[in-house]
């Protein structure tokens, strides 16, 4: 049997693929308490072949979330701790001279995986940050003039700390725009934090997901079936116009120096489409656009300094625009 066509007897069935992806929440919950929006965002990114920027203070399970997702999806994952001395070749790989054959051979870097966790991406210089650009956009790595394709699926989940800026290198707007979603990972509620401590007191080991009971509930074949179904989800001209009106409104906002580009509008349409399919519909409604507007657009706008000093945030500007732009009937 060809493993790319059937790994569980249900490949090609969109209904089964949807059920498998929905089961991810329960599976990941065995390791991560709460964070349902982040789990959904990561699944949406996989369906759209996009990448995710995870922002949260240290200790809110960003790394554990990505590892649990990889385990529940039966995908290969690698983690790179971004540091000031990290070189581009440490990520992409390099040519190594083999003394036995007197030839150079390519040694692939950690980017050759399904889920790459780029931990604290803003701690490494722009030269190394930019080494991910080709991988994220073209899904390939070029070393010594030879292009080497990356595995499919391929997702970069990059993390950054929103409160510590000393010794960091903020991502430029051009690279931020390459991330499909920016997901904020909040601190847990009181009850969720009690649940976390109770699990640890009972012997939970975050480094041993297998012992925690996390099992594969979906695989690459399910993702392919899901992507095919998402591509068939209907988008009416009114919804397309609604997305365009929202994005154009950001370019006219007095609180912003940079609005959403056409690439951002395309991203919002894609994420709304994936969310519509995940919720069981084969057509997109305005609520789908609203549901994904914040994570899809918040990192694609730039606040004016005076607005930022007044406490205005990207989220508050986008929410105001969503309340103002007429919703199609």
């Amino acid at each position: 049997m060809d493993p790319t066509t059937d790994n569980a007897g249900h490949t090609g069935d969109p209904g089964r693929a949807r059920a498998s992806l929905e089961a991810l929440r329960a599976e990941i919950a065995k390791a991560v308490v709460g964070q349902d929006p982040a789990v959904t965002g990561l699944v949406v990114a996989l369906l759209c072949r996009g990448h995710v920027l995870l922002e949260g203070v240290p200790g809110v399970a960003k790394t554990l979330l990505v590892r649990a997702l990889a385990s529940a999806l039966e995908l290969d994952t690698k983690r790179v701790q971004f540091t000031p001395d990290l070189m581009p070749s440490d990520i992409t790989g390099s040519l190594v001279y083999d003394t036995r054959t007197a030839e150079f051979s390519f040694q692939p870097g950690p980017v050759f995986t399904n889920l790459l966790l780029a931990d604290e991406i803003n701690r490494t210089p722009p030269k190394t940050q930019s080494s991910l650009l080709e991988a994220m956009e073209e899904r390939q790595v070029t070393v010594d003039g030879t292009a080497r394709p990356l595995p499919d699926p391929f997702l970069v989940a990059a993390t950054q700390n929103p409160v510590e800026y000393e010794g960091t290198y903020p991502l430029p707007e051009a690279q931020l725009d390459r991330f499909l979603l920016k997901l904020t990972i909040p601190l847990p509620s009181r009850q969720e934090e009690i649940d976390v401590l109770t699990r640890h007191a009972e012997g939970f080991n975050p480094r041993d997901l297998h012992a925690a009971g996390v099992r594969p509930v979906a695989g690459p074949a399910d993702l392919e079936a899901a992507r095919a179904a998402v591509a068939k989800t209907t988008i009416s001209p009114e919804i397309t116009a609604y997305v365009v009106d929202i994005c154009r409104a950001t370019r006219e906002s007095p609180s912003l120096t940079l609005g959403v580009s056409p690439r951002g509008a395309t991203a919002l349409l894609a994420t709304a489409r994936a969310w519509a399919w995940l919720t069981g519909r084969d057509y997109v409604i305005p609520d789908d656009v609203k549901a994904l507007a914040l994570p899809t657009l918040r990192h694609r706008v730039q606040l004016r300094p005076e607005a930022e000093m007044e406490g205005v945030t990207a989220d508050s500007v986008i929410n105001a625009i969503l309340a103002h732009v007429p919703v199609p009937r």
Side-chain angles (χ1 to χ4, degrees), residues 175-188:
Q175 185 156 3
L176 280 172
D177 207 34
R178 295 303 198 281
F179 286 97
L180 181 72
L181 300 171
K182 179 182 178 181
L183 304 175
T184 55
I185 310 297
L187 288 165

Side-chain angles (χ1 to χ4, degrees), residues 22-83:
E22 287 175 350
L24 283 174
R25 292 184 185 182
E27 206 63 26
I28 292 174
K30 295 177 181 178
V32 181
V33 176
Q35 310 298 4
D36 271 1
V39 174
T40 300
L42 286 165
V43 173
V44 167
L46 282 167
L47 292 177
C48 297
R49 291 183 168 88
H51 308 284
V52 175
L53 183 62
L54 299 170
E55 187 173 87
V57 298
V60 290
K62 299 186 294 292
T63 301
L64 180 60
L65 177 62
V66 176
R67 288 180 52 238
L69 175 69
S71 295
L73 273 174
E74 206 171 13
L75 297 177
D76 181 45
T77 181
K78 289 186 174 69
R79 176 179 178 270
V80 178
Q81 182 66 47
F82 279 63
T83 56

